[in-house]
Amino acid sequence: GFLRRNFGEVSNDYDEFAFVGSYRQGITNRFTAGGRIDASTDVQLLAGSADWQIGGAGIVSAGLGASFSEPGTGAAWLLGYDFRDTDYRLNARVTGTSERFALMDSDLTSELPELQYSVSAGWDRNLPGSISATIVHQAYRESEDRTIYTVGYSQSVAPGFFVSAYTGYSVASESDFMFGLSMNRAFGG
């Protein structure tokens, strides 16, 4: 397709042709591998990822990518861990990018953190709903670091209806407090 520019600002603002493709395959019941290719005139990206289920102890994820653009070759990586059962959830992830790593959208490239880690946990046991907490820290090369703390609660209020509320606090040069409330309706199983 064609790259969309100024999304939400200008209608029908398209640029050069680009290709984006990804593929994931379950190799065994416990191992999945995948790859991605993004290509435009200015940026080419090649990445791979893998997920390993470690018995009942969770899933470990790893990924590595390389970009090729005018500034040079860049790299991105990720390591992650995910555990879920009927009562508890735990997720931890760390990602990083080198200075020359680029995406096809230059606005997104300029907002990429050099290092980001996140840890989230959830608890459903003996509760009428679900409680969750998350910490995200982002370290940037040319701007101030940011840490975001959130706590949330969600509950089924009627068949197919879910209510969620969260509060968060972002710590940076200008700290912000946030609050959100939403209702969702599932239309199928």
Side-chain angles (χ1 to χ4, degrees):
F2 295 90
L3 293 174
R4 178 78 184 261
R5 300 294 185 197
N6 300 306
F7 183 73
E9 298 173 15
V10 178
S11 182
N12 295 319
D13 187 6
Y14 292 93
D15 204 344
E16 64 182 288
F17 181 78
F19 173 83
V20 175
S22 63
Y23 182 76
R24 284 179 52 86
Q25 175 71 42
I27 309 301
T28 69
N29 287 340
R30 296 179 182 267
F31 180 73
T32 301
R36 179 182 176 107
I37 297 173
D38 294 4
S40 69
T41 304
D42 297 328
V43 178
Q44 299 80 46
L45 172 69
L46 180 63
S49 64
D51 300 307
W52 297 271
Q53 181 184 15
I54 306 169
I59 298 172
V60 173
S61 303
L64 185 61
S67 68
F68 309 93
S69 62
E70 180 63 35
T73 301
W77 56 272
L78 75 87
L79 292 172
Y81 172 76
D82 189 56
F83 173 81
R84 295 173 191 265
D85 73 7
T86 56
D87 297 328
Y88 307 102
R89 298 176 309 284
L90 176 65
N91 178 280
R93 180 171 297 266
V94 60
T95 60
T97 59
S98 70
E99 187 173 358
R100 292 189 175 103
F101 183 74
L103 299 171
M104 284 194 286
D105 186 332
S106 58
D107 290 338
L108 290 178
T109 297
S110 65
E111 295 176 10
L112 286 172
E114 177 180 16
L115 180 68
Q116 174 175 300
Y117 67 81
S118 62
V119 177
S120 63
W123 182 33
D124 304 337
R125 186 179 182 106
N126 299 324
L127 294 174
S130 176
I131 295 173
S132 62
T134 302
I135 299 171
V136 177
H137 179 76
Q138 299 168 320
Y140 295 92
R141 285 179 186 79
E142 297 180 16
S143 60
E144 187 175 343
D145 293 0
R146 173 175 44 196
T147 303
I148 304 164
Y149 304 91
T150 60
V151 176
Y153 179 78
S154 61
Q155 160 106 28
S156 174
V157 292
F161 285 91
F162 302 90
V163 174
S164 299
Y166 75 90
T167 186
Y169 187 66
S170 174
V171 180
S173 60
E174 295 183 20
S175 297
D176 289 319
F177 178 76
M178 59 197 113
F179 176 77
L181 180 65
S182 67
M183 178 180 277
N184 299 296
R185 167 75 166 112
F187 292 104

